[in-house]
């Protein structure tokens, strides 16, 4: 019957090992609710969850993250420095169209150094500033790889310092690649852009030593 947890309710509960919210009526996980739960290996989110607040799981020890289809908002730094997190999976029918902000340094998954794979929804159109910066992500997939991603905007530093990532194959409809978006992705070998690209940011692919070429289509109107 629980429908709400207050701000910081379990903050710095460093010995908390598991949290199962599956059968609750919780729709909002507020700011700092599980901030600092560094021993929480197991995390199950409620199926009707709508919002994950700022720093809600900052530094958590969760290893796997399944984000329900109903979630449409994830706040800044929600999972920042969750160093044990290995996989992030969005539901195939996810309603998430915007992940992070174009205006602020979102840092939603920044510093998730153990991150191996991310599965994003095809409906996603925006990845905001620094969302995956400094993460260990090796592979980014879409929930349905048989159809093109709807991704349009990649923010400043969105994947900066992702030194394990070898390819990013979801730029076919992207119109904006922000400043330093893939900076220091030193093992990136493939990132083919589409014909609709409008803005290619300053240092967007800086220090991508393994990237042999970057195609700049006729649609580009501004280079950073």
């Amino acid at each position: 019957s629980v429908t709400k947890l207050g701000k910081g309710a379990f903050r710095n509960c460093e010995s908390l090992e598991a949290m199962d919210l599956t059968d609750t009526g919780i729709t909002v996980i507020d700011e700092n609710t599980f901030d600092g739960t560094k021993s929480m290996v197991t995390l199950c989110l409620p199926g009707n969850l709508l919002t994950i607040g700022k720093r809600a799981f900052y530094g958590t020890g969760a290893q796997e993250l399944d984000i329900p289809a109903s979630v449409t908002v994830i706040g800044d730094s929600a999972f920042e420095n969750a160093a044990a997190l290995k996989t992030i999976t969005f539901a195939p029918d996810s309603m998430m169209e915007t992940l992070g902000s174009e205006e602020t340094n979102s840092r939603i998954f920044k510093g998730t150094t153990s991150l191996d794979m991310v599965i994003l929804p095809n409906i996603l159109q925006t990845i905001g500033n620094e969302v995956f910066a400094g993460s260990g992500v090796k592979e980014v997939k879409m929930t349905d790889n048989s159809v093109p991603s709807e991704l349009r905007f990649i923010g400043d530093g969105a994947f900066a310092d992702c030194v394990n990532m070898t390819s990013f194959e979801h730029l076919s409809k992207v119109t904006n690649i922000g400043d330093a978006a893939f900076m220091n992705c030193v093992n990136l070998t493939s990132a083919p852009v589409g014909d609709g690209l409008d803005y290619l940011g300053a240092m967007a692919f800086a220090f991508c030593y393994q990237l042999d070429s970057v195609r700049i289509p006729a649609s580009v109107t501004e280079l950073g």
Side-chain angles (χ1 to χ4, degrees), residues 116-175:
D116 184 44
M117 180 179 292
V118 176
I119 301 177
L120 299 172
N122 288 71
I123 198 174
L124 185 68
Q125 296 184 21
T126 296
I127 298 177
N129 299 340
E130 297 189 27
V131 169
F132 291 100
S135 72
V137 61
K138 296 178 182 177
E139 189 173 7
V140 178
K141 293 183 176 182
M142 296 293 161
T143 51
D144 185 354
N145 282 312
S146 66
V147 296
S149 162
E150 292 298 320
L151 197 58
R152 299 293 199 278
F153 183 98
I154 296 179
D156 298 345
F159 292 95
D161 302 312
C162 292
V163 297
N164 295 325
M165 188 163 61
T166 58
S167 68
F168 192 88
E169 308 294 332
H170 313 292
L171 300 175
S172 62
K173 295 185 179 181
V174 170
T175 59

Side-chain angles (χ1 to χ4, degrees), residues 31-114:
E31 298 179 19
N32 303 107
T33 301
F34 296 97
D35 183 350
T37 52
K38 62 183 182 180
S39 297
M40 191 169 70
V41 175
T42 303
L43 171 63
C44 300
L45 298 176
N48 55 351
L49 185 64
L50 301 175
T51 300
I52 299 174
K54 294 180 180 180
R55 293 178 61 100
F57 294 94
Y58 185 99
T60 185
Q63 295 183 1
E64 296 180 358
L65 178 62
D66 292 319
I67 300 179
S70 53
V71 174
T72 56
V73 176
I74 302 179
D76 293 351
S77 299
F79 293 90
E80 186 174 353
N81 289 337
L85 192 60
K86 295 178 180 179
T87 61
I88 301 169
T89 304
F90 285 79
D93 55 345
S94 173
M95 301 302 293
M96 178 72 70
E97 294 185 358
T98 300
L99 184 62
S101 171
E102 301 176 19
E103 308 298 331
T104 63
N105 291 332
S106 301
R107 301 175 177 173
I108 294 174
F109 299 106
K110 185 175 183 177
T112 52
T113 52
S114 296

